[in-house]
Amino acid sequence: MSSKHKATAVVSGGRDSKWTKGVVNPPVMRASTVVFESVAQMKQATGNRANQTLFYGRRGTDTSFAFADAMVALEGGEGCAIYPCGTAAITGALLSFLKAGDHLLMVDTAYEPTRDFCDKMLANLGIETTYYDPLVGAGIEALMKANTKVIFTESPGSITMEVQDVPAIAEVAHRHGAIVMLDNTWGAGMLFDAFAHGVDISIQAATKYVVGHSDVMLGTAVATKALWPQLRENSYLLGQCTSPDDLYLAMRGMRTLNVRMQQHQENALKIANWLAHRPEVDHIRHPAFSSCPGHDVWQRDFTGSNGLFSFVLKQGHQKATTAMLDGMRHFKMGYSWGGYESLILAVYGIERLRTATEWQTQGPLIRLHVGLEHVDDLIEDLADGFERFNQAL
Ligand SMILES: *Cc1c(COP(=O)(O)O)cnc(C)c1O
């Protein structure tokens, strides 16, 4: 099922009557064992196991088939592999397309656990990783090797929010026979059309905006027609499967994804504009702001923004940011984002997470996830926070 408008896709995706049997929502189907009425039926299901057929619980149930359909309706592509968390989706996709002796180009601003996986597990498996500048664009060509199989992108980058020229990177990759993977968690399938911009595998921590309520861990990888059979087979081989209760909650979250994103965007833009005028703030790292590296690419390729962005302070030390964060009423401290609630994080030691580029900013970086609370309450919370910050300076 493909819908032209994302707002429609998130409402209608996965609701084929073959899964819903006539009720609105696909039911939670708990299963390990599937029992067959005859040898012939068992044989048929076994032969058909790649095609959304009940066969054995690990291979999927009506709940997972419906959720996979919904993700394909949202993102496009041919099929969706489902993983127990976003990190498993990233590692599962990489393991599915890399083998010993291969070379991987990994963006320098990747989510920290993605980097860790490359440096620890992939290195041990004989797969070489080269990190590259998120703003490299077509310049990625100079880093290509004969054995480069995957270019991994994440746009905007984790914490520092650099927006990547994915089409330019994809053009080079495809000319050299490599594939492009994207950590599309920020875009959430809503703000960036991965496949229209040359991505071969679009990965999400559905944990974030798709689930949207901070109560489920889930990952997805949607592949093009050409790559889907290999991704599906390898995610089966890795034994990846997820609970139908979690998938049900994820589908329920997805139904309001469009309206939630609009409100996250509106609240975040108001707060970012307010922050831009604060004397303490050096610059805003929000893709919709010209102070954000890659802003022009965001304008060209994205259809909007969400609740997640960062800002850099002119000066400050840990004692001052701690005084600010410790007293927040609405912005709670937490590592995740994408739920309905506001979160705040002071990030230290960014230079430790970068090897191909240098993080030269002097002041501390604060990352916000702007939730669905009334924006005036959130601004008041931040204003009081700055008062504590300034007192502790
Ligand atoms: C949270 C996150 C992940 C990992 O997702 P989990 O479900 O927590 O494993 C991957 N990429 C990005 C950009 C994330 O923010």
Side-chain angles (χ1 to χ4, degrees):
M1 201 194 318
S2 75
S3 301
K4 211 162 150 205
H5 296 281
K6 304 260 184 199
T8 305
V10 297
V11 168
S12 58
R15 286 177 47 205
D16 192 310
S17 61
K18 129 179 102 172
W19 314 130
T20 62
K21 309 288 188 294
V23 298
V24 173
N25 296 297
V28 176
M29 185 183 260
R30 298 163 169 281
S32 56
T33 311
V34 175
V35 290
F36 303 99
E37 295 295 327
S38 65
V39 171
Q41 202 190 56
M42 190 169 194
K43 259 193 184 154
Q44 208 222 355
T46 310
N48 232 346
R49 62 189 177 183
N51 300 320
Q52 295 192 321
T53 301
L54 280 181
F55 162 71
Y56 176 54
R58 191 179 63 237
R59 291 294 188 105
T61 65
D62 289 2
T63 315
S64 64
F65 299 148
F67 178 71
D69 280 2
M71 286 303 298
V72 169
L74 172 62
E75 293 215 49
E78 176 73 9
C80 174
I82 307 169
Y83 301 84
C85 66
T87 303
I90 291 164
T91 61
L94 286 169
L95 284 174
S96 296
F97 291 92
L98 290 166
K99 60 180 188 319
D102 285 348
H103 177 236
L104 162 70
L105 282 170
M106 173 58 66
V107 65
D108 205 32
T109 43
Y111 181 62
E112 190 177 354
T114 306
R115 283 188 80 104
D116 281 350
F117 178 72
C118 297
D119 297 344
K120 295 172 183 166
M121 272 197 84
L122 290 186
N124 282 337
L125 292 171
I127 296 156
E128 185 202 355
T129 300
T130 303
Y131 291 95
Y132 68 88
D133 183 338
L135 303 175
V136 72
I140 196 92
E141 185 129 28
L143 301 172
M144 295 295 290
K145 298 185 185 189
N147 60 342
T148 306
K149 292 290 157 56
V150 176
I151 303 180
F152 195 99
T153 59
E154 181 180 328
S155 184
S158 269
I159 299 168
T160 47
M161 307 299 290
E162 295 85 348
V163 183
Q164 291 195 255
D165 191 343
V166 172
I169 289 170
E171 192 278 322
V172 173
H174 294 152
R175 202 150 32 74
H176 288 264
I179 65 168
V180 177
M181 297 183 186
L182 168 69
D183 184 331
N184 199 14
T185 304
W186 193 86
M190 295 296 301
L191 309 174
F192 182 76
D193 191 341
F195 296 107
H197 291 92
V199 171
D200 299 292
I201 300 196
S202 175
I203 300 165
Q204 280 198 51
T207 305
K208 309 288 168 54
Y209 278 126
V210 170
V211 165
H213 295 73
S214 308
D215 51 2
V216 171
M217 303 295 302
L218 195 66
T220 56
V222 181
T224 57
K225 193 169 178 151
L227 299 187
W228 171 235
Q230 187 170 340
L231 180 68
R232 178 187 60 207
E233 181 62 15
N234 288 339
S235 82
Y236 284 163
L237 291 175
L238 287 166
Q240 294 292 9
C241 58
T242 41
S243 135
D245 300 271
D246 289 348
L247 294 170
Y248 182 89
L249 287 172
M251 249 182 305
R252 181 155 152 162
M254 189 197 285
R255 303 307 177 203
T256 57
L257 181 60
N258 183 53
V259 287
R260 282 188 286 112
M261 290 291 262
Q262 286 179 26
Q263 194 62 45
H264 283 295
Q265 166 174 267
E266 187 184 318
N267 285 3
L269 284 172
K270 277 188 188 152
I271 289 179
N273 276 311
W274 178 82
L275 284 167
H277 293 101
R278 288 291 308 194
E280 299 87 349
V281 173
D282 181 69
H283 71 280
I284 307 288
R285 291 215 161 211
H286 183 307
F289 281 63
S290 59
S291 53
C292 188
H295 164 69
D296 51 333
V297 175
W298 174 82
Q299 272 188 318
R300 186 192 68 192
D301 292 348
F302 284 71
T303 58
S305 56
N306 57 36
L308 190 78
F309 70 96
S310 299
F311 59 96
V312 177
L313 296 167
K314 284 184 186 142
Q315 56 159 335
H317 39 62
Q318 207 151 330
K319 193 170 143 257
T321 53
T322 299
M324 179 176 187
L325 267 60
D326 274 351
M328 301 303 289
R329 291 183 305 279
H330 302 296
F331 283 94
K332 301 294 181 191
M333 279 175 268
Y335 281 111
S336 194
W337 50 278
Y340 55 82
E341 80 288 7
S342 288
L343 295 167
I344 190 166
L345 204 61
V347 188
Y348 306 103
I350 291 168
E351 49 295 338
R352 177 181 54 86
L353 303 172
R354 307 280 182 258
T355 50
T357 55
E358 267 179 54
W359 178 250
Q360 286 171 326
T361 303
Q362 289 302 308
L365 179 144
I366 308 262
R367 189 182 74 174
L368 298 182
H369 177 255
V370 178
L372 305 177
E373 302 90 343
H374 196 287
V375 72
D376 292 347
D377 293 332
L378 297 177
I379 287 175
E380 189 183 60
D381 202 17
L382 288 167
D384 293 348
F386 277 124
E387 209 160 294
R388 290 189 298 277
F389 174 84
N390 287 325
Q391 269 163 16
L393 264 187

